[in-house]
């Protein structure tokens, strides 16, 4: 059992803290926002993440929240830095939060051997930067070198919406460190996960065939680059299938079949080959941009990563073009958006493809009315676009000229599409995630468009209102 502090109560920090407490460690989650800490003490989470609330309840006895470095740091054996690293104006991550965390840690570092763990996604070389900041702050506070501490890099690979699952049952754990003792501390900390020796929580059973988890130990720079490499590769994989989807449409192929045929090659793998509106979220856009910026800094142009980004942002435009192909003009039309979150099972709107699409539609003079099963409240307070919001399928679809599915929430498949058709001015469905049951929709009288799949169904013979 270790004394752990996690600095930063965001997705990564809170999940990491809750999971480590669940495994038996004593964890303090530190956030500089006192209001957030007060909420957490009362059991209120700042965002929705499946199973996190339940895990926190199960681990309550070992989990505390604070906004004071001096209270948490001196007795800690392992301190995670899990603060935000948003993109700065030049694309490189803004490290100001990581810097102030390192300074706060340095000022209050205790007597015993302490491992400072960089979990935030930071450019290669940041481990050394954090180490320097901790050392400097300790020196300023105490007038001497800190006795015993080491900085390690331990990138996270959590998907939002599945963060607890991914933490308990990871594909691998990566730790970069120069200090052998620090590696040992990290191995001990993660032992229940590495050995899969913990009792699974009732709501997240251990997957069948889950074996021991590989523990990848490496130098700091490699660990930092593994994180960027993994995210950029996944982003590239999605952009690749989206690029191929455009060609599939032209030649009359079905990208879902193509993806299946490609993905069954074990060298490629079936996941992250879902064509659609492209990727968004808090990681892929920021990390690919950071990788390009890092390449620039070191004179490596990174054309593949740049292209993955271009293809991705073009994908939203392709959806607009497809709507224009059917409706001729978007001026004055009302377009319904199914989904606002950047992916299902989260209310996170950061870099959401749905919102980027909304910007393009509004720019074309359309009205945009949006629905999301979870992100509506958040959108109302965080999004500054002139969107209309609808809470029910009926309110969303009444009088609209098309509906675009932007986020693949499972419940959209089970909407009563047959009875909803009559509400729409034009029964046109643009399924930008290839998620809906197209045969069912066509049978119900819709015109159906997808991404990289044949368009099906016809609109009424008299023509589309407003297209002449
Ligand atoms: C990602 C990484 O998966 C995770 O390992 C990393 O640590 C953080 O970034 P996340 O951003 O939560 O996780 O979401 P993810 O499930 O990876 O999806 C990212 C985006 O790609 C979403 O907008 C999703 O809709 C899109 N996507 C995903 C596709 O368009 N097609 C796919 O096949 C898969």
């Amino acid at each position: 059992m270790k004394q752990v502090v996690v600095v930063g109560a965001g997705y990564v920090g809170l999940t990491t803290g809750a999971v480590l407490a669940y495994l038996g460690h004593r964890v303090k989650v530190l956030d500089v926002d006192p209001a957030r800490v007060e909420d957490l003490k009362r059991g209120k989470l700042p965002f929705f993440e499946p199973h996190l609330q339940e895990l926190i309840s199960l681990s309550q006895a070992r989990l505390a929240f604070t906004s004071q470095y001096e209270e948490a740091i001196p007795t800690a054996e392992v301190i995670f830095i899990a603060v935000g690293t948003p993109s700065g104006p030049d694309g490189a991550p803004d490290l100001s939060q990581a810097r102030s965390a390192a300074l706060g840690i340095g000022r209050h570092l205790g007597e015993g051997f302490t491992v400072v763990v960089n979990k935030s996604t930071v450019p290669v070389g940041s481990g050394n930067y954090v180490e320097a900041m901790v050392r400097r702050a300790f020196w300023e506070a105490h007038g001497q070198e800190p006795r015993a501490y080491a900085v390690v890099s331990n990138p996270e690979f959590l998907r939002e919406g599945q963060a607890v699952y991914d933490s308990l049952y990871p594909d691998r754990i990566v730790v970069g460190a120069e200090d052998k003792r620090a590696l040992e501390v990290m191995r001990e900390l993660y032992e229940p996960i590495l050995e899969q020796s913990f009792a699974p929580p009732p709501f997240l059973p251990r997957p069948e065939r889950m074996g021991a988890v590989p523990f990848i130990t490496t130098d700091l720079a490699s660990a930092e680059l593994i994180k960027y490499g993994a995210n950029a590769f996944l982003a590239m994989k999605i952009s690749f299938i989206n690029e191929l989807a455009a060609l599939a449409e032209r030649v009359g192929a079905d990208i879902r079949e193509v993806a299946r045929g490609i993905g069954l090659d074990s060298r490629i793998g079936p996941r992250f080959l879902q064509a659609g509106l492209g990727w968004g979220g808090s990681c892929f856009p920021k990390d690919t941009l950071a990788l390009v910026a890092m390449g620039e800094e070191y004179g490596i142009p990174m054309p593949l990563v740049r292209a993955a980004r271009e293809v991705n942002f073009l994908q939203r435009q392709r959806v607009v073009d497809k709507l224009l192909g059917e409706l001729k003009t978007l001026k004055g039309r009302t377009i319904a958006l199914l989904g606002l979150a950047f992916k299902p099972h989260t209310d996170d709107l950061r870099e959401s493809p749905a919102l980027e699409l909304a910007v393009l539609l509004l720019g074309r003079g359309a009205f945009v009315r949006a629905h999301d099963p979870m992100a509506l409240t958040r959108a109302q307070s965080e999004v500054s676009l002139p969107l209309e919001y609808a809470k029910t399928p009926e309110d969303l679809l009444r009088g609209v000229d098309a509906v675009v599915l932007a986020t693949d929430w499972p419940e959209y498949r089970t909407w009563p599409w047959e009875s909803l058709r009559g509400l729409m001015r034009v029964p046109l469905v643009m399924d930008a995630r290839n998620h809906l049951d197209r045969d069912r929709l066509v049978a119900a009288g819709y015109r159906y468009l997808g991404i990289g799949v044949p368009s099906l169904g016809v609109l009424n013979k008299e023509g589309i209102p407003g297209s002449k």
Side-chain angles (χ1 to χ4, degrees), residues 121 156-162 166 172 227 230-231 234 238 241-242 270-284 287 312 342-344 351 353 406 408 433:
T121 305
E156 53 82 17
F157 303 101
L158 316 179
R159 287 162 298 172
E160 278 178 31
Q162 282 158 64
D166 286 349
R172 76 301 206 188
K227 169 67 196 234
N231 272 355
L234 292 169
I238 301 169
I241 205 70
N242 280 335
R271 294 162 72 191
F272 281 68
L273 280 181
Q274 231 175 292
L277 193 54
W279 36 266
S282 62
C283 286
F284 289 176
D287 292 353
N312 189 53
F342 84 95
K343 67 173 193 180
E351 309 266 346
D408 38 350
R433 296 276 177 198

Side-chain angles (χ1 to χ4, degrees), residues 339-349 352-354 372 375 406-407 409:
L340 284 172
F342 84 95
K343 67 173 193 180
H345 310 294
T346 174
D347 62 352
D348 197 337
L349 298 163
S352 172
D372 191 285
T407 313
W409 284 100

